[in-house]
Amino acid sequence: MSTPDTNEEFKRALALCRDIFSKKLYDYKPSWRMLRPSSLTDQLFIKAKRIRTLEVTGESLVGEGILPEFMALINYGIVGLIQLEKGYADKVDMTNDEAMALYDHHAALCVELMVKKNHDYGEAWRDMRVSSYTDLILTKIERIKEIEDKDGATTVSEGIDANYMDIINYATFGVIKLSK
């Protein structure tokens, strides 16, 4: 049996999310450009909270499972990074191609971060439970809310962007594990 390649698994999981993001752009254009930071944080929260509810109850009344919600967290996390860079807009102000280029840029930064952290943490994510990813994501969202409530000011903590990237990376590990 060969050793799994985290970098390749990670890139494959992100490619699945990119495909969904691209298809949604076709349907809706980059309508998410209108999301203010607090609304985007709340969207991340409801996705993560739904995952936790499904993990606890084991029951979905709308027929969608945990995997699509982790994928949504990845895509909304990347949207969050784009919004931090560009600010929110009052109307759609970019093309689908521009949105995809920004998506690819921020996804690549997340891959770079994952490679560094995975090296330092020695593949610890493989021994973690998926439910731990959910709890860590909810914790990161709570931190984002606190930072937003303080108008982005922190004393010693990482900023909103680092928390978005951690959410994306934990969610990607969830997608990898749930796709096996």
Side-chain angles (χ1 to χ4, degrees), residues 8 19 23 48 60 66 69 86 90 101 114 116 124 154 156 179:
E8 286 307 310
D19 183 58
K23 288 174 180 171
S60 171
I66 294 171
E69 298 296 357
K86 297 292 185 188
D90 289 327
M114 180 281 301
K116 291 175 186 175
T154 60
V156 296
S179 296

Side-chain angles (χ1 to χ4, degrees), residues 156-170:
V156 296
S157 302
E158 295 177 311
I160 292 172
D161 58 337
N163 284 286
Y164 281 148
M165 292 177 88
D166 286 344
I167 289 167
I168 293 162
N169 287 347
Y170 285 127

Side-chain angles (χ1 to χ4, degrees), residues 18-89:
R18 184 188 191 280
D19 183 58
I20 290 168
F21 187 84
S22 175
K23 288 174 180 171
K24 289 197 176 207
L25 275 179
Y26 178 80
D27 289 345
Y28 305 128
K29 301 211 180 300
S31 57
W32 43 262
R33 288 288 295 130
M34 299 171 73
L35 288 172
R36 292 176 287 177
S38 58
S39 298
L40 185 55
T41 302
D42 286 344
Q43 184 65 22
L44 287 165
F45 173 75
I46 64 171
K47 295 295 183 185
K49 184 70 173 166
R50 182 163 189 278
I51 292 170
R52 189 175 194 163
T53 300
L54 293 173
E55 288 172 344
V56 170
T57 67
E59 180 181 25
S60 171
L61 297 181
V62 295
E64 295 174 353
I66 294 171
L67 178 62
E69 298 296 357
F70 272 120
M71 294 172 84
L73 283 169
I74 293 164
N75 285 341
Y76 277 114
I78 292 174
V79 164
L81 292 170
I82 294 169
Q83 294 294 77
L84 281 177
E85 178 184 334
K86 297 292 185 188
Y88 67 90

